[in-house]
Amino acid sequence: MKPKIFITRKLPEEMVAPFREKYDVRMWDAEDAAVKRYVLLEEVKEAEVLWSVVSDAIDREVFETAKKLKIVANMAVGYNNVDIEAAKEHGVIVTNTPDVLTETTADLAFALLLATARRLYHAEEELRSGGWTSWSPMGYTGMDVGGATIGIIGMGRIGEAVARRATGFNMRILYHNRNRKPAAEEAYGAEYADMDTLLKEADFVVVLAPHTPETVGLIGERELALMKKTASIINVARGGIIDEQALYKALKNDVIWAAGLDVFETEPVPLNNPLLTLPNVTALPHIGSASIRTRIGMMELNAKAIHAVLEGREPENRVV
Ligand code: GLV
């Protein structure tokens, strides 16, 4: 019997083909829907490999059901969707896909930063709906990015790539991280700041911390109140790090200027999420890593890790 691989999302056939000869490949193949929970639980029963994506909850129940599982290859850099403790207890390897997506995600962080500063979403909506009736001296005016202060919360690989972009915009760079990053301080002139100082002084707060019990709700009402009225907050990390209710109130009541969000507490974001009613919110469907080259690179890393484990080798990018 060939070892079974279950892939939770439809992949391009050229990514799957190399597995087909040696392995029994099963794949959830709906184009635009996440795998149904009962299908996942059924398919993992016999699977040695689970190829998951960021929207799949790979929780304890999955590990308890998947008696033959050797590896969860999670096609994302973040792995908060995988119960790491349960993986350890069941002796299952978990891998992720770092590095290939660093620059792409930093690009999107910067795109959101620029979009919120210059109100691009609001301005385009106006144009498309016929609201642009004349050129106006103060019409659609926003905030300058060049020379402003950026505050990066979470100075990992993506944080550093954002800092590098910020140097090109001649920005003052503050960062907050669990530990100091002397190399980033040296390379980008980044200054370490405690959270409150960063929130008070930054014109653009960019959240890039991982989703952990310590970072859930990290930015709430108190933190938003510390920010400047003219400042924006950008989240390309994970929903839940910013408290959405507190954010809604802060944006609605002009406590802060704008928010650029690629991630939400519930994804796909329900259309009745009040944040979507606000013109000073730019909202995107979790596309931080979504360039063609990067998504293929992520798939290649996943494939490599799976081949390694099935061939009895140590995979790269092992998180547990
Ligand atoms: C996407 O959110 C990722 O963690 O790669």
Side-chain angles (χ1 to χ4, degrees):
M1 275 240 294
K2 292 178 176 178
K4 178 174 163 182
I5 299 185
F6 181 57
I7 304 172
T8 65
R9 284 310 295 245
K10 184 166 176 158
L11 303 179
E13 182 50 32
E14 63 269 27
M15 299 307 304
V16 191
F19 287 114
R20 289 202 193 274
E21 201 180 309
K22 288 206 227 148
Y23 309 119
D24 171 14
V25 179
R26 308 269 306 169
M27 183 161 68
W28 171 254
D29 62 1
E31 284 288 352
D32 42 9
V35 65
K36 295 251 187 302
R37 179 77 182 169
Y38 77 89
V39 175
L40 171 66
L41 289 176
E42 188 54 39
E43 291 285 3
V44 294
K45 277 187 193 156
E46 295 296 319
E48 291 187 29
V49 172
L50 176 58
W51 176 310
S52 56
V53 299
V54 63
S55 52
D56 302 322
I58 311 302
D59 54 16
R60 183 167 290 277
E61 189 184 12
V62 172
F63 289 102
E64 280 167 4
T65 311
K67 302 276 187 246
K68 299 186 180 166
L69 199 58
K70 292 188 173 146
I71 174 175
V72 174
N74 198 47
M75 194 186 138
V77 66
Y79 45 87
N80 57 300
N81 60 311
V82 181
D83 185 333
I84 293 298
E85 276 314 306
K88 273 191 211 156
E89 284 168 32
H90 288 81
V92 177
I93 292 171
V94 179
T95 57
N96 70 342
T97 61
D99 301 321
V100 285
L101 47 62
T102 299
E103 300 299 325
T104 307
T105 308
D107 284 347
L108 193 85
F110 234 89
L112 274 174
L113 188 157
L114 289 161
T116 55
R118 297 296 298 274
R119 306 171 67 196
L120 297 189
Y121 164 72
H122 172 67
E124 185 177 356
E125 274 249 309
E126 286 270 303
L127 180 152
R128 287 180 188 264
S129 62
W132 181 29
T133 51
S134 64
W135 188 92
S136 144
M138 289 307 285
Y140 308 121
T141 47
M143 300 297 162
D144 279 315
V145 174
T149 298
I150 189 171
I152 300 171
I153 299 176
M155 196 65 143
R157 289 167 278 212
I158 303 171
E160 288 203 27
V162 168
R164 184 156 14 87
R165 283 158 179 72
T167 61
F169 282 78
N170 199 23
M171 296 175 97
R172 176 181 175 219
I173 302 169
L174 302 178
Y175 78 98
H176 185 75
N177 199 56
R178 267 172 310 185
N179 42 303
R180 296 270 299 249
K181 292 290 183 103
E185 293 179 17
E186 172 81 16
Y188 314 117
E191 301 162 42
Y192 180 84
D194 61 55
M195 272 287 277
D196 285 8
T197 305
L198 181 148
L199 291 164
K200 282 184 202 155
E201 295 190 10
D203 299 301
F204 299 94
V205 173
V206 181
V207 178
L208 281 163
H211 185 284
T212 65
E214 295 77 49
T215 62
V216 172
L218 185 69
I219 310 287
E221 193 178 336
R222 188 191 85 86
E223 289 70 29
L224 292 162
L226 291 175
M227 288 174 60
K228 297 181 190 173
K229 264 173 91 78
T230 50
S232 298
I233 190 157
I234 316 298
N235 189 0
V236 287
R238 283 292 183 272
I241 299 177
I242 306 177
D243 175 333
E244 282 184 7
Q245 272 193 0
L247 181 62
Y248 173 77
K249 278 199 219 142
L251 290 162
K252 178 94 184 152
N253 299 326
D254 297 325
V255 174
I256 64 170
W257 169 259
L261 306 171
D262 186 43
V263 287
F264 296 86
E265 282 172 11
T266 303
E267 295 181 8
V269 65
L271 289 182
N272 65 0
N273 183 324
L275 285 166
L276 301 183
T277 64
L278 299 175
N280 52 350
V281 168
T282 304
L284 297 175
H286 202 143
I287 56 169
S289 64
S291 76
I292 297 168
R293 187 176 68 175
T294 290
R295 284 289 166 84
I296 289 176
M298 291 162 73
M299 289 181 215
E300 284 169 353
L301 283 185
N302 249 25
K304 243 174 114 176
I306 291 169
H307 284 303
V309 169
L310 290 180
E311 288 161 14
R313 288 179 285 112
E314 178 66 18
E316 285 168 37
N317 305 317
R318 182 171 176 168
V319 295
V320 55

